[in-house]
Structures are given as C-alpha cells and as structure tokens.
Amino acid sequence: MSLRKGRTDLSAESKTRTPEKKRYKKARMVRINVFFFIIFLLFVSLIIRLGVVQIVKGEEYSKEVNRTEVDIAKYPAPRGKMYDRYNRIVVDNENVPAITYTVERTTKAEEKLETAKKLAKLIDIDTQFLKERDLRDYWIAKNPEQAKKLLTDEEKKLKPKETYRLQVKRVPKEEIEKIQNNPEELELAAFYTKFSSGYAYEPQIVTTNLTSEEVSLVAEHLEYLPGVDVITDWNRVYPYEDTFRSILGRITDAKEGIPQDRESYFTARGYARNERVGVSYLEQQYEDYLNPRKAQLKYISNKDGETIAQQLIDNGRRGYDLKLSIDIELQKKVEQIIESRLKEAKGHPDNYLLDRAFVVMMDPFNGDILAMAGKMYQNGEMLNFDYGAFATQYEMGSTVKGATVLAGYQFGIKHGTVFYDAPIKIKHTKEKSSYKNFGPINDINALKVSSNVYMFHIAMKIAGINYVYNGGFPATIEDFIKMRNYYAQFGLGVPTGIDLPFESTGQQSDPDTPGKLLDLAIGQFDTYTPLQMAQYVSTIANGGYRVQPRLVRSIHEPVGDDEIGPIAQERPTNILNRINNTDEDINRVQYGFKLVTGPGGTASGMFNHDVAGKTGTAETFYYGPKRQYWGKYVYNLTFVGYYPSDRPEVAFSVVVPWARTSRGEIVNKKIANDIVNAYVELQKQYQSGEVESKEPSNDGE
C-alpha cells in the first residue's frame, strides 16, 4: 500500500514538472533562433561589406594601397648675363662645384647626424656662420634622451613645438661651450645646421668652397651619403670689377635666400626659400627675366614617405640676358675723371665738406644712359656712389635757367624782351641780385652771363606781380605750383621713368615766404637729382621732347657663353611728353646755351670741343653726413650741356655739391670738359678699331 502510494506521488510530481520543462525548452529554442538570426545578419552584413569593398570601392582601395607621392626638387641654374651697348659682358657667371643635401619626408635627425659624420671625414666646412641657436639645435638632435630630461612630466604633455622651445632654452651652457671648444663637434654642428635649413625636397647648398680632391672624394662615396649630391653651382663675376658695380645690383646668397619681407611674393611664383634673388637696382628691376628656369628632379615616394624613384624632368636653362645702354669703357673713364677731379678739389683747404660728385651722360634722342657715375670720399677712401645720381637730390642753381626762360615764353614773354638787371628789393628782405649789375639785358644774354635778375622778372610776370622796389610781394602757393608745373615738363621735380627702383624725384618744400618764388626761378629752392638734370638738358638738346631714360635696351634669349642671343623683348624709346614751346623758342634757348661756352660766357674757354650748356652755382646750406657742420654756407657747383652743339650726340649733367670755395671754383666745368673729351676720344677709337667693340644694333629704336 505504501509502495502504490509512493508511485502515485511520483506520478503527480512528474505531471507538475512537464509544463516547466516545456517552457524552458521553448525559451531555449527562442534564444538559439535569435542567436542564429544575429549570426545570419552578421554574415549578410559581412557579405554586403565585402561587396562594397570589392565592387564599389575596390578601385579606390587598390589605389590607396599603391598610392605614391610626387615631389619636385629644383637645382641651381645660372642667372642671365648683362652686356653693355657694344656687347661686352659686364656681368657673367662662373661655374663652381657644390655639395647639396636634400631632406626627404621620412628623414630623421639621427640620419642627418650619421650622414654629417661621414661627410665630415671627406670635406671641411666653414663654421663661422654658426650661431648659438644652431649649437643648441645640434645638441638636442645628438642627445635626445638628455633633452627629454630638461622637461618636467607636466611639460612633456605640451605640444611638440612648445616642448622643443623649452628644451632649446634649457640646453646647459657648459654643453654649448664644449661644442665651441671642439673643432670636430663644430664641423658636425655646421653640417647638421645646413642639412636642417630647408624644407623637404628643397636642396640645400652645404658648401661651394671645395678642392677638386674633395669633389672627387664625395662623388665616390655618394652611395653611402643619403641625401648628398655633387652639383655645379654658379657665382656672379664682374669682368670690369667695380665699374658701374653698384647699379648692376646685388643678389642674395643661398643663406639669405628670398627676403623675408617679400616671401609670399616669391613663393607664390615658385621660388624656393633658399633661392638667390636680385635685391637692388638692375638685378632687382629685371629679376623676372634674369631668374633662370631651374633644373627639376622628380622624387616619387610611397604611402610611407619612402622614396622609390627619381626622374629628371627639366634640365633648366640660364636666365634671359640684358643688353644695357651703358658704354662700359666710357663709364670707366668717367669714374676715373670724377675721382681725380674730386681729389683735386678737396685739396683746397676750404673744401672740407666737399665729399661727392656725379655725372650722367645720355643720348638725348633715345634715352640711352651712356654713363652714370658717382663718387663719394669717406674716411679717406674713395667709394662708388653711382646710385646717388638718381637717389640723391640737391639745389642745382643757374643750370635750371633754360627751363625758366622757356616757361616765360610759354607764359607769353616775347623773344628779345629786355629787363633791367639791378638789385631786386622786396619789403622786409635783403636785396637779391646777379653776381654783377648787367643793366638792360635780353633773354639770350641773360643765359650767356647767367643773370639772376632776368629770371626774377620772369617769375614775377608769371605770378602777375608788378614789381616796385621795396614793395610788397603778393605771391601765392598757386604761383609756386604754376612754376613747378612748367618745370615738370622738362622732368624737374617728377620721376624720370628710369628702369631702376628707388628713384628720388627731388624735394619741393612749402615756402615760408613769398619771395622764395624768386629762388625757385634760379634753382635755389627745390632740389633735383643729377639724372633729372640730364633729362632736362636732353629735352632742350633734342628740340623739346622729354625722353624716358633707360639702362636696358633689349632682353635676349640665352645662347652661347660669349655671344648675345636673339631678341626676346625690345625696350623701345619712350617719349613722355613734348614741352609747350615752339621750335623757335627752343632754338633761341639753344643759342643762349651755345653762347655760355663762347667768349664772355660763364664757361668761356673751358671746353676743347663744341659744347653748349649752362653753368650753375647754388648758394645753399650744408645738411650732409657731418652733422656738426649743419647750416654751414656752401656752394653746389653744376653744369648741364650737350655735344656737339648743332647735332647733339650726348647730353650730360655734372653735379658737385657742398664746395666752400668762391664762385671762381671750376671743378664742375673741368669735369664737364674731361667727360666730353673722353667721349670724343672713345668714338674715334671705336671707329679706328683701337678699342674692341661690336657696333650696337638699332634694337628698340
């Protein structure tokens, strides 16, 4: 009975457990189904993703795997040459061997150091250029672990630029001194600095001061010197040495590179930062032409930045050549004349402030500058000061009287008008006069003897002033403007247009008294440059046309080493304006200029050849480099003229500022005579073949 009862109980328990088992089994099946569904979704997603990779983006990913980078390295090519008007080379290039280093994207500091050690065993390098900052950079590169210890744990979390700046600042002074006292370490520092001075794929010139043995050694070991190459670089050379040197201009060296203040200008035009560029005068003015097309080497690197191939894509070429208007032999003679006469004049004890002189010679018809020279005596040494001929300005005195007479004609003053030359007196001022009283005098004779009073009367007529001795002088600023506008037609007080940077236009001061109008009329108020004076007298010499002066006649394709190539661009004669005078007006002033060098003229007996011109002596005050003498009374001695007087070939100006001798000083006239003699003699030698020259072509005419 008890056994049956027990079976009955078990059966009951079994009945109660069966539903629970079913629920558990059902739940497990649901979980399994969900798990298999998730796996199914994952497989579907994977298949879709594989499809996208292989079908949709397969080509893109394939390109990424095989991706390469292309960088262009540019190597030096010579700048264009400069020739004078007779095709004589005045600026040339010489080839020099050079060692370069090209850093790649993946180049590390330790790799640079290793290459520097190897290269230092083969060649020497000048270490004078090194600065303390260079030594600090070198020490950090050589001692990276010690450099890390210069930072605190907090500082190490900063950006790399900030941490490096702190490291540079904290390099121990004794470590710098160790490098400075170790020649071998200094050489390594110099190489490392050169290696690190550029950007990726921008070849840096390490040194050009090499012997043939050093070049051979490096060339033999290039396989073991990654980034190093031996190339042919160039330097500027000047066959005529210092003659006209300052106007030819200067270029930067590889260390200077492009000027920082014009970096964006040059980099936008494809210049490398270490590239040499013109930074003064002709080299700067014609940089776009003189600059060469550099040789180009293509570097191909993989996606990891490793270079896998190199390819030459352009051999480069020399820059365009310039044919100048200058006669370099005439320029040389003119410079010698100025130097000799300036030393002679300084021999006078009163001429302790006289330290400079200038000459400009130009073709009055086409604007060619044949010679433009200046000398300056400083600290017992005679220096080239050619650029002073267009960059400095002075009161020119009576040489401007030709423009004053022509201005009077434009205003309506008749030919032959007579004024009475006697002292002029304006109320509350001192008398103004000529160097002597000439009495009744006409326009022609006023030029011949350099009457100041005649020019005063012209200025008063232009201003509408009826002169009364010791009376008022109601000139206005408009009268000054009117006179200056007359002068501007000749190039006085305005840019000449010469193809050079930094030209001065002179100075036009505000008058403190109305009577300064009279000073303006005789060249003793406004200031002008020697070049402006040459343009002014050329305008009179050629019949009234103001011609733009030029130093470059034409631009040429580079060809052989010694011959000038075909014209790439002409620079034709440019007539800026014609003065508002008749031919009869101009002929009359030309006649007056001719009388200046004849009997009774202010330059009588001074010339060996047929010269017409005008003397000038400006009474002014010294404001030169010797400040202790500011305000001293001085004379600016000047002369403008042209040769020959009937059919001018050359016009010229001579300016000798700050003499303190009497009006009898004739250094300006001596220089004028000497330069005309030199010009005439050279023309004879060219015609006879005594001086080698090639006849200038008529390009640009």
Side-chain angles (χ1 to χ4, degrees), residues 271-312:
Y271 283 71
R273 287 168 178 79
N274 67 332
E275 196 159 341
R276 289 167 285 183
V277 300
V279 288
S280 67
Y281 305 118
L282 285 174
E283 291 277 15
Q284 176 179 340
Q285 183 75 19
Y286 289 93
E287 169 64 28
D288 289 345
Y289 298 98
L290 292 168
N291 183 54
R293 190 179 73 230
K294 303 182 84 174
Q296 297 185 39
L297 186 65
K298 179 165 66 176
Y299 285 83
I300 303 172
S301 55
N302 60 22
K303 63 185 180 65
D304 297 319
E306 300 169 340
T307 300
I308 57 177
Q310 298 179 12
Q311 181 182 348
L312 180 66

Coordinates of all heavy atoms in Angstrom, one line a residue, residues 271-312:
Y271 N 59.4 80.2 -56.2 CA 60.8 80.3 -55.7 C 60.9 79.4 -54.5 O 60.1 79.4 -53.6 CB 61.1 81.7 -55.3 CG 61.5 82.6 -56.5 CD1 60.5 83.1 -57.4 CD2 62.8 83.1 -56.7 CE1 60.7 83.9 -58.4 CE2 63.0 84.0 -57.8 CZ 62.0 84.4 -58.6 OH 62.3 85.2 -59.6
A272 N 62.1 78.8 -54.3 CA 62.4 78.1 -53.1 C 62.9 79.2 -52.1 O 63.4 80.2 -52.5 CB 63.5 77.1 -53.3
R273 N 62.8 78.8 -50.8 CA 63.2 79.8 -49.8 C 64.6 80.1 -49.7 O 65.0 81.2 -49.2 CB 62.6 79.4 -48.4 CG 61.1 79.5 -48.3 CD 60.6 78.7 -47.1 NE 59.1 78.9 -47.0 CZ 58.2 78.2 -47.7 NH1 58.7 77.3 -48.6 NH2 57.0 78.4 -47.6
N274 N 65.5 79.2 -50.2 CA 66.9 79.5 -50.2 C 67.4 80.0 -51.5 O 68.6 80.0 -51.8 CB 67.7 78.2 -49.8 CG 67.5 77.1 -50.9 OD1 66.5 77.0 -51.6 ND2 68.5 76.2 -51.0
E275 N 66.5 80.4 -52.4 CA 66.9 80.8 -53.8 C 67.5 82.2 -53.7 O 67.1 83.1 -53.0 CB 65.7 80.8 -54.7 CG 66.1 80.8 -56.1 CD 65.0 80.2 -57.0 OE1 64.1 79.5 -56.5 OE2 65.0 80.5 -58.2
R276 N 68.5 82.4 -54.6 CA 69.2 83.7 -54.7 C 68.4 84.6 -55.7 O 68.0 84.2 -56.8 CB 70.6 83.5 -55.2 CG 71.5 82.9 -54.2 CD 72.8 82.5 -54.8 NE 72.7 81.3 -55.6 CZ 73.7 80.7 -56.2 NH1 74.9 81.1 -56.1 NH2 73.5 79.5 -56.8
V277 N 68.1 85.8 -55.2 CA 67.3 86.7 -56.0 C 67.9 88.1 -56.0 O 68.7 88.5 -55.1 CB 65.8 86.8 -55.5 CG1 65.1 85.5 -55.5 CG2 65.8 87.4 -54.0
G278 N 67.6 88.9 -57.0 CA 68.1 90.3 -57.0 C 67.4 91.2 -56.0 O 66.2 91.2 -55.8
V279 N 68.2 91.9 -55.2 CA 67.6 92.8 -54.2 C 68.0 94.3 -54.3 O 67.7 95.1 -53.4 CB 68.0 92.3 -52.8 CG1 67.3 91.0 -52.4 CG2 69.5 92.1 -52.7
S280 N 68.7 94.6 -55.4 CA 68.9 96.0 -55.6 C 69.1 96.3 -57.1 O 69.6 95.5 -57.9 CB 70.2 96.5 -54.9 OG 71.4 95.9 -55.4
Y281 N 68.7 97.5 -57.5 CA 68.9 98.1 -58.8 C 68.6 97.1 -60.0 O 67.6 96.5 -60.1 CB 70.3 98.7 -58.9 CG 70.4 99.7 -57.7 CD1 71.3 99.5 -56.7 CD2 69.5 100.7 -57.6 CE1 71.3 100.4 -55.6 CE2 69.5 101.6 -56.5 CZ 70.4 101.4 -55.5 OH 70.4 102.3 -54.5
L282 N 69.6 96.9 -61.0 CA 69.2 96.1 -62.2 C 68.9 94.7 -61.8 O 68.0 94.1 -62.4 CB 70.3 96.2 -63.2 CG 70.5 97.5 -63.9 CD1 71.7 97.5 -64.8 CD2 69.3 97.8 -64.8
E283 N 69.6 94.1 -60.9 CA 69.3 92.7 -60.6 C 67.9 92.6 -60.0 O 67.2 91.6 -60.3 CB 70.3 92.2 -59.5 CG 71.7 92.0 -60.0 CD 72.0 90.7 -60.7 OE1 71.0 90.0 -61.1 OE2 73.1 90.4 -61.0
Q284 N 67.4 93.6 -59.3 CA 66.1 93.5 -58.7 C 65.1 93.9 -59.8 O 64.0 93.3 -59.9 CB 66.0 94.5 -57.5 CG 64.6 94.6 -57.0 CD 64.5 95.5 -55.8 OE1 65.5 95.8 -55.1 NE2 63.3 96.0 -55.5
Q285 N 65.4 95.0 -60.5 CA 64.4 95.5 -61.5 C 64.0 94.5 -62.5 O 62.9 94.3 -63.0 CB 65.0 96.8 -62.2 CG 64.0 97.4 -63.2 CD 62.9 98.2 -62.5 OE1 63.0 98.6 -61.3 NE2 61.9 98.6 -63.2
Y286 N 65.0 93.7 -63.0 CA 64.8 92.7 -64.0 C 64.9 91.2 -63.5 O 65.3 90.3 -64.2 CB 65.8 92.9 -65.2 CG 65.5 94.2 -65.9 CD1 66.1 95.4 -65.6 CD2 64.6 94.2 -67.0 CE1 65.8 96.6 -66.3 CE2 64.3 95.3 -67.7 CZ 64.9 96.5 -67.3 OH 64.6 97.7 -68.0
E287 N 64.5 91.1 -62.3 CA 64.5 89.7 -61.7 C 63.7 88.7 -62.5 O 64.1 87.6 -62.7 CB 64.0 89.8 -60.2 CG 63.7 88.5 -59.5 CD 65.0 87.6 -59.3 OE1 66.0 88.2 -59.2 OE2 64.8 86.4 -59.3
D288 N 62.6 89.1 -62.9 CA 61.7 88.2 -63.7 C 62.4 87.6 -64.9 O 62.0 86.6 -65.4 CB 60.4 88.8 -64.0 CG 59.5 89.1 -62.8 OD1 59.8 88.5 -61.8 OD2 58.5 89.9 -62.9
Y289 N 63.3 88.4 -65.5 CA 64.0 88.0 -66.7 C 65.3 87.3 -66.4 O 65.7 86.3 -67.0 CB 64.3 89.2 -67.6 CG 63.0 89.8 -68.1 CD1 62.5 91.0 -67.5 CD2 62.3 89.3 -69.2 CE1 61.4 91.6 -67.9 CE2 61.1 89.9 -69.6 CZ 60.7 91.1 -69.0 OH 59.5 91.7 -69.4
L290 N 66.1 87.8 -65.4 CA 67.4 87.3 -65.1 C 67.3 85.9 -64.4 O 68.2 85.1 -64.5 CB 68.1 88.2 -64.2 CG 68.6 89.6 -64.9 CD1 69.0 90.6 -63.9 CD2 69.7 89.3 -65.9
N291 N 66.2 85.7 -63.7 CA 66.0 84.5 -62.9 C 65.9 83.3 -63.9 O 65.2 83.3 -64.9 CB 64.7 84.5 -62.1 CG 64.5 83.3 -61.3 OD1 65.4 82.9 -60.5 ND2 63.4 82.6 -61.4
P292 N 66.7 82.2 -63.6 CA 66.8 81.1 -64.5 C 65.6 80.2 -64.4 O 64.8 80.2 -63.4 CB 68.1 80.4 -64.1 CG 68.2 80.6 -62.7 CD 67.7 82.1 -62.5
R293 N 65.4 79.3 -65.3 CA 64.5 78.2 -65.2 C 65.3 77.0 -64.6 O 66.2 76.5 -65.3 CB 63.9 77.7 -66.5 CG 62.7 76.7 -66.3 CD 62.1 76.3 -67.6 NE 63.0 75.5 -68.4 CZ 63.3 75.6 -69.7 NH1 62.8 76.7 -70.3 NH2 64.1 74.8 -70.3
K294 N 65.0 76.7 -63.4 CA 65.9 75.7 -62.7 C 65.7 74.3 -63.1 O 64.6 73.9 -63.6 CB 65.6 75.8 -61.2 CG 65.8 77.2 -60.6 CD 65.5 77.2 -59.1 CE 66.8 76.8 -58.3 NZ 66.6 77.0 -56.9
A295 N 66.8 73.5 -63.0 CA 66.7 72.1 -63.3 C 65.7 71.4 -62.3 O 65.8 71.8 -61.1 CB 68.0 71.4 -63.3
Q296 N 64.9 70.5 -62.8 CA 63.9 69.9 -61.9 C 64.1 68.4 -61.8 O 64.1 67.7 -62.9 CB 62.5 70.2 -62.3 CG 62.2 71.7 -62.2 CD 60.8 72.1 -62.5 OE1 59.9 71.4 -62.1 NE2 60.6 73.2 -63.2
L297 N 64.1 67.8 -60.6 CA 64.2 66.4 -60.4 C 62.9 65.9 -59.7 O 62.6 66.5 -58.6 CB 65.4 66.0 -59.6 CG 65.8 64.6 -59.4 CD1 66.1 63.9 -60.8 CD2 67.0 64.4 -58.5
K298 N 62.2 64.9 -60.2 CA 61.0 64.4 -59.6 C 61.3 63.3 -58.6 O 62.0 62.3 -59.0 CB 60.0 64.0 -60.6 CG 58.7 63.4 -60.1 CD 57.6 63.3 -61.1 CE 58.0 62.3 -62.2 NZ 56.9 62.2 -63.2
Y299 N 60.9 63.4 -57.4 CA 61.1 62.3 -56.4 C 59.7 61.6 -56.2 O 58.7 62.3 -55.9 CB 61.5 62.9 -55.0 CG 63.0 63.3 -55.0 CD1 63.4 64.5 -55.4 CD2 63.9 62.4 -54.4 CE1 64.7 64.9 -55.4 CE2 65.2 62.8 -54.4 CZ 65.6 64.0 -54.8 OH 67.0 64.4 -54.8
I300 N 59.7 60.3 -56.3 CA 58.4 59.6 -56.1 C 58.5 58.7 -54.9 O 59.5 58.0 -54.7 CB 58.1 58.6 -57.3 CG1 58.1 59.5 -58.6 CG2 56.8 57.9 -57.1 CD1 58.0 58.6 -59.9
S301 N 57.6 58.9 -53.9 CA 57.7 58.2 -52.6 C 56.4 57.4 -52.4 O 55.3 57.8 -53.0 CB 57.9 59.2 -51.5 OG 56.9 60.2 -51.5
N302 N 56.4 56.3 -51.7 CA 55.3 55.5 -51.4 C 54.4 56.1 -50.3 O 54.8 57.2 -49.8 CB 55.6 54.1 -51.1 CG 56.6 54.0 -49.9 OD1 56.6 54.8 -49.1 ND2 57.3 52.9 -49.8
K303 N 53.4 55.4 -49.9 CA 52.5 55.9 -48.9 C 53.2 56.1 -47.5 O 52.7 56.8 -46.6 CB 51.3 55.0 -48.7 CG 51.5 53.6 -48.3 CD 50.2 52.8 -48.3 CE 50.5 51.4 -47.8 NZ 50.9 51.4 -46.4
D304 N 54.3 55.4 -47.3 CA 55.0 55.6 -46.1 C 56.1 56.7 -46.1 O 56.8 56.9 -45.2 CB 55.7 54.2 -45.7 CG 54.7 53.1 -45.5 OD1 53.7 53.4 -44.8 OD2 55.0 52.0 -45.9
G305 N 56.1 57.4 -47.2 CA 57.0 58.5 -47.4 C 58.4 58.1 -47.8 O 59.3 58.9 -47.8
E306 N 58.6 56.8 -48.2 CA 59.9 56.4 -48.6 C 60.1 56.6 -50.1 O 59.2 56.3 -50.9 CB 60.1 54.9 -48.3 CG 60.0 54.6 -46.9 CD 59.8 53.1 -46.6 OE1 59.4 52.4 -47.6 OE2 60.1 52.6 -45.5
T307 N 61.2 57.2 -50.5 CA 61.5 57.5 -51.9 C 61.7 56.2 -52.7 O 62.6 55.4 -52.3 CB 62.7 58.4 -52.1 OG1 62.4 59.7 -51.4 CG2 63.0 58.7 -53.6
I308 N 61.0 56.0 -53.8 CA 61.1 54.7 -54.5 C 61.6 55.0 -55.9 O 62.0 54.0 -56.6 CB 59.8 54.0 -54.6 CG1 58.7 54.9 -55.2 CG2 59.3 53.5 -53.2 CD1 57.3 54.2 -55.4
A309 N 61.7 56.2 -56.4 CA 62.2 56.5 -57.7 C 62.5 58.0 -57.9 O 62.0 58.8 -57.1 CB 61.2 56.1 -58.8
Q310 N 63.4 58.3 -58.8 CA 63.8 59.7 -59.1 C 63.8 59.8 -60.7 O 64.1 58.9 -61.4 CB 65.2 60.0 -58.7 CG 65.4 60.0 -57.2 CD 66.8 60.3 -56.8 OE1 67.6 60.8 -57.6 NE2 67.1 60.1 -55.5
Q311 N 63.4 61.0 -61.1 CA 63.3 61.2 -62.6 C 63.6 62.7 -62.9 O 63.0 63.6 -62.3 CB 61.9 60.8 -63.1 CG 61.7 61.0 -64.6 CD 60.3 60.7 -65.0 OE1 59.5 60.1 -64.3 NE2 60.0 61.0 -66.3
L312 N 64.6 62.9 -63.8 CA 64.9 64.2 -64.3 C 63.8 64.7 -65.3 O 63.5 64.0 -66.3 CB 66.2 64.3 -65.0 CG 66.7 65.6 -65.5 CD1 66.9 66.6 -64.4 CD2 67.9 65.5 -66.4

